[in-house]
Amino acid sequence: VPLVESGGGLVQPGDSLKLSCAASGGTLPYGIGWFRRAPGKEREGVSCINRASRMTFYDDSVKGRFTISVDNAKNTVFLQMNSLKPEDTAVYYCAAVPCDVQGMGTSQDWGQGTQVTVSS
């Protein structure tokens, strides 16, 4: 099922953004992960959720600032990002991946992503 990201934008340090990942024309996979790719860097996993068990995982770089959630009725996964920092600047992607409290898998299937820019 194609996943479509939205909600990115240009914000100042300390601001918040809420990203959405919607299943287009189908049901969300059980495991959904958010990833990001900053300029000149490799894509990295940020957070994931297993929508059946509600288990979540967060990379240390975002723990305490980002919150992942799922609305099964809307077939959408959200990433609430608070206290944003310039180093959070990246293109954010969502993908179907295995997810548990110990970590998240990766994917070879990527959408267009949504740009998040944190700058004063």
Side-chain angles (χ1 to χ4, degrees):
V1 176
L3 301 176
V4 180
E5 307 93 343
S6 63
L10 171 62
V11 297
Q12 295 187 338
D15 284 353
S16 299
L17 273 178
K18 188 173 185 178
L19 305 184
S20 299
C21 171
S24 176
T27 303
L28 277 174
Y30 280 108
I32 301 289
W34 280 100
F35 298 77
R36 65 186 179 188
R37 189 167 191 170
K41 294 187 177 182
E42 296 290 319
R43 196 181 335 248
E44 62 177 359
V46 173
S47 178
C48 69
I49 187 167
N50 182 307
R51 66 182 187 90
S53 67
R54 298 297 175 128
M55 286 184 178
T56 59
F57 168 82
Y58 297 93
D59 183 78
D60 286 345
S61 63
V62 305
K63 208 171 284 185
R65 300 188 298 123
F66 291 11
T67 302
I68 192 169
S69 61
V70 60
D71 186 329
N72 288 318
K74 294 184 178 180
N75 254 345
T76 302
V77 171
F78 302 99
L79 186 68
Q80 177 67 47
M81 306 187 297
N82 298 330
S83 302
L84 282 162
K85 305 175 182 179
E87 50 264 45
D88 294 318
T89 295
V91 179
Y92 283 71
Y93 305 86
C94 62
V97 294
C99 175
D100 61 35
V101 293
Q102 294 181 323
M104 55 197 290
T106 189
S107 172
Q108 300 299 318
D109 188 14
W110 303 104
Q112 292 189 334
T114 186
Q115 175 72 47
V116 172
T117 303
V118 185
S119 175
S120 56

